[in-house]
Each structure stands twice: as structure tokens, then as C-alpha cells.
Coordinates of all heavy atoms in Angstrom, one line a residue:
M19 N 87.3 126.3 89.8 CA 86.1 125.6 89.4 C 86.1 124.2 90.1 O 87.2 123.6 90.0 CB 86.0 125.4 87.9 CG 84.9 124.5 87.5 SD 84.8 124.0 85.8 CE 84.3 125.5 85.0
A20 N 85.1 123.8 90.7 CA 85.0 122.5 91.3 C 85.0 121.4 90.3 O 84.4 121.5 89.2 CB 83.8 122.4 92.2
R21 N 85.7 120.3 90.6 CA 85.8 119.2 89.7 C 84.6 118.2 90.0 O 84.0 118.3 91.1 CB 87.1 118.4 89.9 CG 88.3 119.2 89.8 CD 88.6 119.6 88.4 NE 89.1 118.5 87.6 CZ 89.4 118.5 86.3 NH1 89.4 119.7 85.7 NH2 89.8 117.5 85.7
L22 N 84.3 117.4 89.1 CA 83.2 116.4 89.2 C 83.7 115.0 89.2 O 84.7 114.7 88.4 CB 82.1 116.6 88.1 CG 81.4 117.9 88.2 CD1 80.7 118.2 86.9 CD2 80.4 117.9 89.3
L23 N 83.1 114.1 89.9 CA 83.5 112.7 89.9 C 82.3 111.8 89.8 O 81.2 112.1 90.4 CB 84.2 112.4 91.3 CG 84.6 110.9 91.5 CD1 85.8 110.6 90.6 CD2 85.0 110.7 93.0
V24 N 82.5 110.7 89.1 CA 81.4 109.7 88.9 C 82.2 108.4 89.1 O 83.3 108.2 88.7 CB 80.8 109.7 87.5 CG1 79.9 108.5 87.3 CG2 80.0 110.9 87.3
F25 N 81.5 107.4 89.9 CA 82.1 106.1 90.0 C 81.0 105.1 89.8 O 79.9 105.3 90.1 CB 82.9 105.9 91.3 CG 82.1 106.1 92.5 CD1 81.4 105.1 93.1 CD2 82.0 107.4 93.1 CE1 80.7 105.3 94.3 CE2 81.3 107.6 94.2 CZ 80.6 106.6 94.8
A26 N 81.4 103.9 89.2 CA 80.5 102.9 89.0 C 81.2 101.5 89.1 O 82.3 101.4 88.8 CB 79.9 103.0 87.5
E27 N 80.4 100.6 89.6 CA 81.0 99.2 89.7 C 80.4 98.4 88.6 O 79.2 98.5 88.2 CB 80.6 98.6 91.0 CG 81.2 97.2 91.2 CD 81.1 96.6 92.6 OE1 80.8 97.3 93.5 OE2 81.2 95.4 92.7
R28 N 81.2 97.6 87.9 CA 80.8 96.8 86.8 C 81.2 95.3 87.1 O 82.3 95.1 87.6 CB 81.5 97.2 85.5 CG 81.4 98.6 85.2 CD 80.3 98.9 84.2 NE 80.3 100.3 83.9 CZ 79.3 101.0 83.7 NH1 78.1 100.5 83.8 NH2 79.4 102.3 83.3
R29 N 80.4 94.4 86.7 CA 80.7 93.0 86.7 C 80.7 92.5 85.3 O 79.7 92.7 84.5 CB 79.7 92.2 87.5 CG 79.8 92.6 89.0 CD 79.1 91.6 89.9 NE 79.2 92.0 91.3 CZ 80.0 91.6 92.2 NH1 80.9 90.7 91.8 NH2 80.0 92.1 93.4
V30 N 81.8 91.9 84.9 CA 82.0 91.6 83.5 C 82.3 90.1 83.4 O 83.3 89.6 84.0 CB 83.2 92.4 82.9 CG1 83.4 92.0 81.4 CG2 82.9 93.9 83.0
D31 N 81.5 89.3 82.6 CA 81.8 87.9 82.4 C 83.0 87.7 81.6 O 83.4 88.6 80.8 CB 80.6 87.3 81.7 CG 79.3 87.3 82.5 OD1 79.4 87.3 83.7 OD2 78.2 87.2 81.8
L32 N 83.6 86.5 81.8 CA 84.9 86.2 81.1 C 84.7 86.4 79.6 O 85.6 86.9 78.9 CB 85.3 84.8 81.4 CG 86.6 84.3 80.8 CD1 87.8 85.2 81.3 CD2 86.9 82.9 81.2
E33 N 83.6 86.0 79.0 CA 83.3 86.1 77.6 C 83.3 87.6 77.1 O 83.6 87.9 76.0 CB 82.1 85.4 77.2 CG 82.0 83.9 77.5 CD 81.7 83.6 79.0 OE1 80.9 84.4 79.6 OE2 82.2 82.6 79.5
A34 N 82.8 88.4 78.0 CA 82.6 89.8 77.6 C 83.8 90.7 77.9 O 83.9 91.9 77.6 CB 81.4 90.4 78.4
R35 N 84.8 90.1 78.6 CA 86.0 90.9 79.0 C 86.8 91.6 77.9 O 87.1 92.7 78.0 CB 86.9 89.9 79.8 CG 88.1 90.6 80.4 CD 89.0 89.6 81.2 NE 90.1 90.2 81.8 CZ 90.1 90.6 83.1 NH1 89.0 90.4 83.8 NH2 91.1 91.2 83.6
P36 N 87.1 90.9 76.8 CA 87.8 91.6 75.7 C 87.0 92.8 75.2 O 87.6 93.9 75.0 CB 87.9 90.5 74.6 CG 87.8 89.2 75.3 CD 86.9 89.4 76.5
A37 N 85.7 92.7 75.0 CA 84.9 93.9 74.5 C 84.9 95.0 75.6 O 85.0 96.1 75.3 CB 83.5 93.4 74.2
Y38 N 84.8 94.6 76.9 CA 84.8 95.6 77.9 C 86.2 96.3 78.0 O 86.2 97.6 78.0 CB 84.6 94.9 79.3 CG 84.7 95.9 80.5 CD1 83.8 96.9 80.7 CD2 85.9 95.8 81.3 CE1 84.0 97.7 81.8 CE2 86.0 96.7 82.3 CZ 85.1 97.6 82.6 OH 85.2 98.5 83.6
L39 N 87.3 95.6 77.9 CA 88.6 96.2 77.9 C 88.8 97.1 76.7 O 89.5 98.2 76.8 CB 89.7 95.2 78.1 CG 89.6 94.5 79.4 CD1 90.7 93.4 79.5 CD2 89.8 95.4 80.6
A40 N 88.3 96.7 75.5 CA 88.4 97.6 74.3 C 87.6 98.9 74.6 O 88.0 100.0 74.2 CB 87.8 96.8 73.1
D41 N 86.4 98.8 75.2 CA 85.6 99.9 75.5 C 86.3 100.8 76.5 O 86.3 102.1 76.4 CB 84.2 99.5 76.1 CG 83.4 100.7 76.5 OD1 83.0 101.5 75.5 OD2 83.0 100.8 77.6
V42 N 87.0 100.2 77.5 CA 87.8 101.0 78.5 C 88.9 101.8 77.7 O 89.1 103.0 78.0 CB 88.5 100.1 79.5 CG1 89.6 100.8 80.3 CG2 87.4 99.6 80.5
R43 N 89.6 101.2 76.8 CA 90.6 102.0 76.0 C 90.0 103.1 75.3 O 90.6 104.2 75.2 CB 91.4 101.0 75.1 CG 92.3 100.1 75.8 CD 93.2 99.3 74.9 NE 92.5 98.3 74.1 CZ 92.1 97.1 74.5 NH1 92.4 96.7 75.7 NH2 91.4 96.3 73.7
A44 N 88.9 102.9 74.7 CA 88.2 104.0 73.9 C 87.8 105.1 74.8 O 87.9 106.3 74.5 CB 87.0 103.4 73.1
R45 N 87.2 104.7 76.0 CA 86.8 105.8 77.0 C 88.0 106.5 77.6 O 87.9 107.7 77.8 CB 86.0 105.1 78.1 CG 84.6 104.6 77.5 CD 83.9 103.7 78.4 NE 83.4 104.4 79.6 CZ 83.0 103.7 80.6 NH1 82.9 102.4 80.6 NH2 82.5 104.4 81.7
Q46 N 89.1 105.9 77.7 CA 90.3 106.5 78.2 C 90.8 107.6 77.2 O 91.2 108.7 77.5 CB 91.5 105.5 78.5 CG 91.2 104.8 79.8 CD 92.1 103.6 80.0 OE1 92.6 103.0 79.1 NE2 92.4 103.3 81.3
A47 N 90.7 107.2 75.9 CA 91.1 108.2 74.8 C 90.1 109.3 74.8 O 90.5 110.5 74.6 CB 91.1 107.4 73.5
T48 N 88.8 109.1 74.9 CA 87.8 110.1 75.0 C 88.1 111.1 76.2 O 88.0 112.3 76.1 CB 86.4 109.5 75.1 OG1 86.1 108.7 74.0 CG2 85.3 110.6 75.2
A49 N 88.4 110.5 77.3 CA 88.7 111.3 78.5 C 89.9 112.2 78.2 O 89.8 113.4 78.5 CB 89.0 110.4 79.7
A50 N 90.9 111.7 77.7 CA 92.1 112.5 77.4 C 91.8 113.6 76.5 O 92.3 114.7 76.7 CB 93.3 111.6 76.9
A51 N 91.0 113.3 75.5 CA 90.7 114.4 74.5 C 89.7 115.5 75.1 O 89.7 116.6 74.6 CB 90.0 113.7 73.3
S52 N 89.0 115.1 76.2 CA 88.0 116.1 76.7 C 88.5 116.7 78.0 O 87.7 117.4 78.6 CB 86.7 115.4 76.9 OG 86.8 114.4 77.9
G53 N 89.7 116.5 78.4 CA 90.3 117.1 79.6 C 89.8 116.4 80.9 O 89.9 116.9 82.0
A54 N 89.3 115.2 80.8 CA 88.8 114.4 81.9 C 89.8 113.3 82.2 O 90.8 113.1 81.4 CB 87.4 113.8 81.6
H55 N 89.6 112.6 83.3 CA 90.4 111.4 83.6 C 89.5 110.2 83.8 O 88.4 110.4 84.3 CB 91.2 111.7 84.9 CG 92.1 112.8 84.8 ND1 91.8 114.1 85.2 CD2 93.4 112.9 84.3 CE1 92.8 114.9 85.0 NE2 93.8 114.2 84.4
F56 N 90.0 109.0 83.4 CA 89.2 107.8 83.6 C 90.1 106.7 84.0 O 91.1 106.4 83.4 CB 88.6 107.5 82.2 CG 87.7 106.2 82.2 CD1 86.5 106.2 82.9 CD2 88.1 105.1 81.4 CE1 85.7 105.0 82.9 CE2 87.3 104.0 81.4 CZ 86.1 103.9 82.1
W57 N 89.7 106.1 85.2 CA 90.5 105.0 85.8 C 89.6 103.8 86.0 O 88.5 104.0 86.3 CB 91.1 105.4 87.1 CG 92.0 106.6 87.1 CD1 93.3 106.6 86.8 CD2 91.7 107.9 87.5 NE1 93.9 107.9 87.0 CE2 92.8 108.7 87.4 CE3 90.5 108.6 87.9 CZ2 92.9 110.1 87.6 CZ3 90.5 109.9 88.1 CH2 91.7 110.7 88.0
V58 N 90.2 102.7 85.8 CA 89.5 101.4 86.0 C 90.3 100.5 86.8 O 91.5 100.3 86.5 CB 89.1 100.7 84.7 CG1 88.4 99.4 84.9 CG2 88.2 101.6 83.8
F59 N 89.8 99.9 87.9 CA 90.5 99.0 88.8 C 89.7 97.7 88.8 O 88.4 97.7 88.8 CB 90.6 99.6 90.2 CG 91.4 100.8 90.3 CD1 90.8 102.1 90.0 CD2 92.7 100.8 90.6 CE1 91.6 103.2 90.1 CE2 93.5 101.9 90.7 CZ 92.9 103.2 90.4
E60 N 90.4 96.6 88.9 CA 89.8 95.3 89.0 C 90.0 94.8 90.5 O 91.2 94.9 91.0 CB 90.3 94.3 88.0 CG 89.6 93.0 88.0 CD 90.0 92.0 86.9 OE1 91.0 92.3 86.3 OE2 89.2 91.1 86.6
H61 N 89.0 94.2 91.1 CA 89.1 93.7 92.4 C 90.3 92.7 92.5 O 90.4 91.8 91.6 CB 87.8 93.1 92.8 CG 87.7 92.7 94.3 ND1 88.3 91.6 94.8 CD2 87.1 93.4 95.3 CE1 88.1 91.6 96.1 NE2 87.3 92.6 96.4
A62 N 91.2 92.8 93.4 CA 92.3 91.9 93.5 C 92.0 90.4 93.7 O 92.7 89.6 93.3 CB 93.2 92.4 94.7
G63 N 90.8 90.2 94.4 CA 90.5 88.8 94.7 C 89.3 88.3 93.9 O 88.8 87.2 94.1
E64 N 88.7 89.1 93.0 CA 87.5 88.7 92.3 C 87.5 89.2 90.9 O 87.2 90.3 90.5 CB 86.3 89.4 93.0 CG 85.0 88.8 92.7 CD 83.8 89.4 93.5 OE1 84.1 89.8 94.7 OE2 82.7 89.4 93.0
S65 N 88.0 88.3 90.0 CA 88.2 88.6 88.6 C 86.8 89.0 88.0 O 85.8 88.4 88.3 CB 88.7 87.4 87.9 OG 88.9 87.6 86.5
G66 N 86.8 90.0 87.2 CA 85.6 90.5 86.5 C 84.8 91.5 87.3 O 83.8 92.0 86.8
R67 N 85.3 91.8 88.5 CA 84.6 92.9 89.2 C 85.5 94.2 89.1 O 86.6 94.2 89.6 CB 84.5 92.5 90.7 CG 83.7 93.5 91.5 CD 83.6 92.9 93.0 NE 83.0 93.9 93.8 CZ 82.9 93.8 95.1 NH1 83.4 92.8 95.7 NH2 82.3 94.8 95.8
F68 N 84.9 95.2 88.5 CA 85.6 96.4 88.2 C 84.9 97.6 88.9 O 83.7 97.6 89.1 CB 85.7 96.7 86.7 CG 86.4 95.6 85.9 CD1 85.7 94.5 85.4 CD2 87.8 95.8 85.7 CE1 86.4 93.6 84.7 CE2 88.4 94.8 84.9 CZ 87.8 93.7 84.4
V69 N 85.7 98.6 89.2 CA 85.2 99.9 89.6 C 85.8 100.9 88.7 O 87.0 100.9 88.4 CB 85.4 100.2 91.1 CG1 86.9 100.3 91.4 CG2 84.7 101.4 91.5
E70 N 85.0 101.8 88.1 CA 85.4 102.9 87.2 C 85.2 104.2 87.9 O 84.3 104.5 88.6 CB 84.5 102.9 86.0 CG 84.5 101.6 85.2 CD 83.4 101.6 84.1 OE1 82.7 102.6 83.9 OE2 83.4 100.6 83.4
F71 N 86.2 105.1 87.7 CA 86.2 106.5 88.2 C 86.4 107.4 87.0 O 87.3 107.3 86.2 CB 87.3 106.7 89.2 CG 87.2 105.9 90.4 CD1 87.8 104.7 90.5 CD2 86.5 106.3 91.5 CE1 87.7 103.9 91.6 CE2 86.4 105.6 92.7 CZ 87.0 104.3 92.7
T72 N 85.5 108.4 86.9 CA 85.6 109.4 85.8 C 85.6 110.7 86.6 O 84.7 111.0 87.4 CB 84.4 109.4 84.9 OG1 84.3 108.1 84.3 CG2 84.6 110.4 83.7
E73 N 86.6 111.6 86.3 CA 86.8 112.9 86.9 C 87.0 113.9 85.8 O 87.8 113.7 84.9 CB 87.9 112.8 87.9 CG 88.2 114.1 88.7 CD 89.2 115.0 88.0 OE1 90.0 114.5 87.2 OE2 89.1 116.2 88.2
G74 N 86.4 115.1 86.0 CA 86.6 116.1 85.0 C 86.1 117.5 85.5 O 85.5 117.6 86.6
G75 N 86.3 118.5 84.7 CA 86.0 119.8 85.1 C 84.6 120.3 84.7 O 84.2 121.4 85.1
S76 N 83.9 119.5 83.9 CA 82.5 119.9 83.6 C 81.6 118.6 83.5 O 82.1 117.5 83.3 CB 82.5 120.5 82.2 OG 82.8 119.6 81.2
E77 N 80.4 118.8 83.7 CA 79.4 117.7 83.6 C 79.4 117.1 82.3 O 79.3 115.9 82.1 CB 78.0 118.2 84.0 CG 77.0 117.1 84.1 CD 75.6 117.6 84.6 OE1 75.6 118.6 85.3 OE2 74.6 116.9 84.3
E78 N 79.5 117.9 81.2 CA 79.5 117.4 79.9 C 80.7 116.5 79.6 O 80.5 115.4 79.1 CB 79.6 118.6 78.9 CG 79.7 118.2 77.4 CD 79.8 119.4 76.5 OE1 79.6 120.5 76.9 OE2 80.2 119.1 75.3
A79 N 81.9 116.9 80.1 CA 83.1 116.0 79.9 C 82.9 114.7 80.7 O 83.2 113.6 80.1 CB 84.3 116.7 80.4
V80 N 82.4 114.8 81.9 CA 82.2 113.6 82.7 C 81.2 112.6 82.1 O 81.4 111.4 81.9 CB 81.9 113.9 84.1 CG1 81.5 112.7 84.9 CG2 83.1 114.6 84.8
R81 N 80.1 113.2 81.6 CA 79.0 112.4 81.0 C 79.5 111.7 79.7 O 79.1 110.6 79.4 CB 77.8 113.2 80.7 CG 77.0 113.5 82.0 CD 75.6 114.1 81.7 NE 74.9 114.4 82.9 CZ 74.3 113.5 83.6 NH1 74.2 112.3 83.3 NH2 73.6 113.9 84.7
L82 N 80.3 112.5 79.0 CA 80.9 111.9 77.7 C 81.7 110.7 77.9 O 81.6 109.7 77.1 CB 81.8 113.0 77.0 CG 82.4 112.7 75.7 CD1 81.3 112.5 74.7 CD2 83.3 113.8 75.3
V83 N 82.4 110.6 79.0 CA 83.2 109.4 79.3 C 82.5 108.4 80.1 O 82.5 107.2 79.7 CB 84.5 109.8 80.1 CG1 85.3 108.6 80.5 CG2 85.3 110.9 79.3
A84 N 81.7 108.8 81.1 CA 81.1 107.8 82.0 C 79.8 107.3 81.4 O 79.3 106.3 81.8 CB 80.8 108.5 83.3
G85 N 79.2 108.0 80.4 CA 77.9 107.6 79.9 C 76.8 108.3 80.7 O 77.0 109.2 81.5
T86 N 75.6 107.9 80.5 CA 74.5 108.5 81.2 C 74.1 107.8 82.4 O 73.2 108.2 83.2 CB 73.2 108.6 80.3 OG1 72.9 107.2 79.9 CG2 73.5 109.4 79.0
S87 N 74.7 106.6 82.7 CA 74.3 105.8 83.8 C 75.4 105.1 84.4 O 76.3 104.5 83.7 CB 73.2 104.8 83.4 OG 73.0 103.9 84.3
G88 N 75.5 105.0 85.7 CA 76.5 104.3 86.4 C 76.3 102.8 86.3 O 77.3 102.0 86.2
D89 N 75.1 102.3 86.2 CA 74.9 100.8 86.1 C 74.0 100.5 84.9 O 73.4 99.4 84.9 CB 74.3 100.3 87.4 CG 72.9 100.8 87.7 OD1 72.3 101.5 86.9 OD2 72.4 100.4 88.8
D90 N 73.9 101.4 84.0 CA 73.0 101.2 82.8 C 71.5 101.2 83.1 O 70.7 100.9 82.2 CB 73.4 100.0 82.0 CG 74.9 100.1 81.5 OD1 75.3 101.2 81.2 OD2 75.5 99.0 81.4
H91 N 71.1 101.5 84.3 CA 69.7 101.6 84.7 C 69.4 102.8 85.5 O 68.3 103.3 85.5 CB 69.3 100.3 85.4 CG 69.4 99.1 84.6 ND1 70.5 98.2 84.7 CD2 68.6 98.5 83.6 CE1 70.4 97.2 83.8 NE2 69.3 97.4 83.2
A92 N 70.3 103.2 86.4 CA 70.1 104.3 87.3 C 70.7 105.6 86.7 O 71.6 105.6 85.9 CB 70.7 104.0 88.6
P93 N 70.1 106.7 87.2 CA 70.7 108.0 86.7 C 72.1 108.2 87.2 O 72.5 107.6 88.3 CB 69.8 109.1 87.4 CG 68.6 108.3 87.8 CD 68.9 106.9 88.0
L94 N 72.9 108.9 86.5 CA 74.3 109.1 86.8 C 74.4 110.0 88.1 O 73.8 111.0 88.2 CB 75.0 109.8 85.6 CG 76.5 109.9 85.7 CD1 77.1 108.5 85.6 CD2 77.0 110.8 84.5
A95 N 75.2 109.5 89.1 CA 75.3 110.3 90.3 C 76.6 111.1 90.2 O 77.7 110.5 90.1 CB 75.4 109.4 91.5
L96 N 76.5 112.4 90.1 CA 77.7 113.3 90.0 C 78.1 113.7 91.4 O 77.2 114.2 92.2 CB 77.4 114.5 89.2 CG 77.1 114.3 87.7 CD1 76.6 115.5 87.0 CD2 78.4 113.9 87.0
W97 N 79.3 113.7 91.7 CA 79.9 114.1 93.0 C 80.7 115.4 92.7 O 81.6 115.3 91.9 CB 80.8 113.0 93.6 CG 80.0 111.8 94.0 CD1 79.6 110.8 93.2 CD2 79.6 111.4 95.3 NE1 78.9 109.9 93.9 CE2 78.9 110.2 95.2 CE3 79.7 112.0 96.6 CZ2 78.3 109.6 96.3 CZ3 79.2 111.3 97.7 CH2 78.5 110.2 97.5
R98 N 80.5 116.5 93.4 CA 81.2 117.7 93.3 C 82.3 117.8 94.3 O 82.1 117.5 95.5 CB 80.3 118.9 93.4 CG 79.2 119.0 92.3 CD 78.7 120.4 92.2 NE 77.6 120.4 91.2 CZ 77.8 120.3 89.9 NH1 78.9 120.3 89.4 NH2 76.7 120.3 89.1
E99 N 83.5 118.3 93.8 CA 84.6 118.5 94.7 C 84.3 119.5 95.8 O 83.6 120.5 95.5 CB 85.8 119.0 93.9 CG 87.0 119.3 94.7 CD 88.1 119.9 93.8 OE1 87.8 120.4 92.7 OE2 89.3 119.7 94.2
V100 N 84.7 119.3 97.0 CA 84.5 120.2 98.1 C 85.8 120.9 98.4 O 86.8 120.3 98.5 CB 84.1 119.4 99.4 CG1 84.0 120.4 100.6 CG2 82.8 118.6 99.2
Q101 N 85.7 122.2 98.4 CA 86.8 123.1 98.6 C 86.9 123.3 100.1 O 86.1 124.0 100.7 CB 86.7 124.4 97.9 CG 86.5 124.3 96.4 CD 87.8 123.8 95.7 OE1 88.9 124.0 96.2 NE2 87.6 123.0 94.7
G102 N 87.9 122.7 100.7 CA 88.1 122.8 102.2 C 88.6 124.1 102.6 O 89.1 124.9 101.8
G103 N 88.5 124.4 103.9 CA 89.1 125.7 104.3 C 89.2 125.9 105.7 O 89.1 125.3 106.6

């Protein structure tokens, strides 16, 4: 079965950082419980600029972790794994 990937960039103000990081921990736990993976990286030179990656085996699992939108306004863009050959 092909895996699915979603990625989103987030900008988080210093005041919102604690709440964002708490949300990240909750989403990581949700991912682990649903068989998905969730990674968050912060830009090395730009504090508060994050990129999130959610990967899983079903659209339901990915949506559960990633939410319904990559930027809270646009539809979620799902990327399907390509089986090379």
C-alpha cells in the first residue's frame, strides 16, 4: 500500500510558541497511536519558522494528525508515495 505525506509550513510568534509546542507533542502522540509519523523542524536561522511532515498509511490517519488544512485556509494537499521500478 502506498504511503501518504502532508507537509505544511508554520510561522509561530514567540508568545504562541509554548502552545504550539504543546500541540506538537499532542499530535506526535496521536500519530504514534494511529500508525502515522509526525516530524517538526525549525529553520536553523529563523526562529519561529517551522515545517511539519505527517506520513501515514491511510488518508484518515494523516488527516487525524495533520488536520484538514496545511495553512488553516487551504485544502490539505496529500502526496502519494511513488513505487519506483
Side-chain angles (χ1 to χ4, degrees):
M19 171 190 289
R21 307 287 289 178
L22 295 162
L23 175 73
V24 170
F25 56 93
E27 186 172 339
R28 309 262 186 216
R29 295 198 181 259
V30 179
D31 294 334
L32 184 60
E33 301 80 31
R35 187 181 183 92
Y38 173 74
L39 294 177
D41 181 60
V42 163
R43 287 188 293 278
R45 291 165 68 194
Q46 287 170 329
T48 300
S52 66
H55 298 97
F56 179 65
W57 300 276
V58 178
F59 296 83
E60 186 171 18
H61 192 280
E64 197 174 330
S65 182
R67 183 177 176 191
F68 296 91
V69 64
E70 303 174 354
F71 297 91
T72 307
E73 180 270 336
S76 72
E77 185 173 338
E78 179 181 344
V80 170
R81 286 190 183 279
L82 183 64
V83 178
T86 58
S87 167
D89 66 4
D90 299 327
H91 298 98
L94 191 65
L96 292 169
W97 295 78
R98 294 202 187 280
E99 178 183 24
V100 175
Q101 301 294 326

